[in-house]
Amino acid sequence: MNKNLAIKDTAASTSAASIGSGSRTFSTDLFARIKQPALQSDWPQSWKDSYHHDINSVWPGGRELGYRRAYHNRVARAMDAVLRTTRPGARVLDLAAAQGNLTIMLAELGYRATWNDLRDDLIDYVRLKTDRTDIEFLSGNLFDLPPQQIGRFDAIVATEIIEHVAHPDRFLAQLASLLAPGGVIVLTSPNGKYFRNDLPRFSDCPDPSLFEAMQFKPDSDGHIFLLHPDEWVALSAMAGLKVVALEFFNNPLTNGHLKTRFILPLLPTALVAGIERLTQGLGPHLAARLHLQALAVLEPVL
């Protein structure tokens, strides 16, 4: 993990031109570009819930340090993957974008960013958080919209989504159908190989349709399947895709799991980051067992 991925409690001021320039790596300084509006009592409940999420993950005031660090690491991994696989100015879809934090940062990096979510009531909340007027908003189930309305994307980012669908094989195939030539798909998901995971493997389920009623529930209550490394490869191949990167990150200490949340505020950030680097360097098998998160980068098979 490079120094740009370190968690900083106070983001420094920086110019948009310097972010992602040179080696094109993501800097968490970019979180400072997400404006914090004043909470209003007459907001819809969905806005208040989103604001609470943003307090815990982006703005000052959150109490769950492990959650915040894990969120920043996840965003950094996804954004780095986009930066190293796409050209400046590419059209990028942020699927199931909710609060729109990734969408805003993609736009700040010069991408033609498209926000998508089933909840169109969140659009105006996202607009409160940025002065940008070049973000495209496309609400609804993308797979039900006319292709001519959607167009094609150079990159699709889907963070923490695939674990909420009953048919991840179909989901990957649908994403692949939205790619422009040379496009990539960047996904993050809880890691099925993590030693504390007790959810079933998708490949062991004889009838995934039994789980359709559970789809798209928020947070961990809505997790259906957590994919294992071999399933990422097999399901991608079924969709005409190949895995070009599969990474595991966020160990229990980084996340504040296994009661480490009680000591996490007492530990120096550099120490926590150093232990994270150590566990990531233990080899692919141990890394897969010790980390809660997975990142997969997929591209079409030529």
Side-chain angles (χ1 to χ4, degrees):
M1 186 182 299
N2 72 40
K3 64 182 179 181
N4 286 330
L5 304 193
I7 302 303
K8 303 173 186 175
D9 292 331
T10 304
S13 175
T14 185
S15 68
S18 70
I19 300 172
S21 63
S23 61
R24 286 177 60 77
T25 56
F26 174 74
S27 169
T28 53
D29 293 342
L30 197 56
F31 281 107
R33 298 300 181 85
I34 301 172
K35 294 171 55 181
Q36 182 177 5
L39 177 64
Q40 303 296 321
S41 60
D42 59 349
W43 277 1
Q45 188 60 46
S46 62
W47 288 28
K48 293 178 181 178
D49 293 342
S50 296
Y51 191 89
H52 175 73
H53 175 276
D54 284 335
I55 285 288
N56 282 326
S57 56
V58 179
W59 301 320
R63 296 181 179 180
E64 295 292 335
L65 182 57
Y67 179 88
R68 186 182 188 88
R69 284 178 169 161
Y71 178 82
H72 279 222
N73 283 351
R74 185 168 70 242
V75 169
R77 289 269 176 164
M79 297 290 279
D80 263 343
V82 173
L83 283 164
R84 69 175 179 257
T85 57
T86 59
R87 69 186 188 281
R91 187 175 187 227
V92 181
L93 169 67
D94 186 8
L95 183 72
Q99 295 87 2
N101 295 329
L102 268 75
T103 315
I104 292 170
M105 290 188 284
L106 286 165
E108 289 286 345
L109 287 167
Y111 289 109
R112 291 178 292 139
T114 298
W115 175 98
N116 165 259
D117 202 274
L118 295 174
R119 298 162 291 180
D120 59 0
D121 59 305
L122 291 179
I123 292 176
D124 285 337
Y125 174 74
V126 177
R127 285 179 169 143
L128 285 178
K129 295 161 57 179
T130 180
D131 293 325
R132 302 197 68 92
T133 59
D134 54 352
I135 293 174
E136 177 185 12
F137 290 92
L138 194 61
S139 62
N141 187 337
L142 217 60
F143 306 127
D144 292 338
L145 298 177
Q148 61 271 21
Q149 179 181 348
I150 303 169
R152 301 275 181 159
F153 299 93
D154 301 300
I156 298 172
V157 181
T159 60
E160 311 303 286
I161 307 301
I162 196 169
E163 68 274 12
H164 293 272
V165 301
H167 302 278
D169 51 344
R170 299 179 192 174
F171 178 70
L172 291 179
Q174 289 171 316
L175 293 184
S177 72
L178 300 177
L179 284 179
V184 297
I185 301 170
V186 176
L187 305 104
T188 68
S189 173
N191 170 28
K193 195 71 171 177
Y194 176 56
F195 76 97
R196 297 267 296 182
N197 172 43
D198 57 3
L199 290 177
R201 290 169 58 98
F202 173 74
S203 54
D204 291 340
C205 180
D207 186 7
S209 63
L210 296 174
F211 296 93
E212 289 177 355
M214 294 177 56
Q215 292 187 113
F216 310 124
K217 290 182 180 179
D219 303 322
S220 60
D221 292 340
H223 291 177
I224 301 174
F225 305 109
L226 302 187
L227 298 184
H228 290 239
D230 61 308
E231 292 181 304
W232 281 108
V233 175
L235 296 180
S236 297
M238 292 169 60
L241 300 163
K242 61 181 178 181
V243 178
V244 296
L246 184 59
E247 304 169 3
F248 304 100
F249 60 99
N250 283 344
N251 63 34
L253 177 62
T254 300
N255 279 267
H257 282 199
L258 304 178
K259 298 184 179 181
T260 60
R261 68 182 184 276
F262 298 114
I263 64 168
L264 196 56
L266 307 176
L267 300 178
T269 298
L271 175 61
V272 177
I275 295 173
E276 174 76 19
R277 288 193 298 271
L278 176 65
T279 55
Q280 288 179 20
L282 292 176
H285 176 73
L286 279 176
R289 294 291 289 163
L290 291 175
H291 294 92
L292 287 86
Q293 295 290 142
L295 174 133
V297 180
L298 315 178
E299 63 182 30
V301 177
L302 299 180

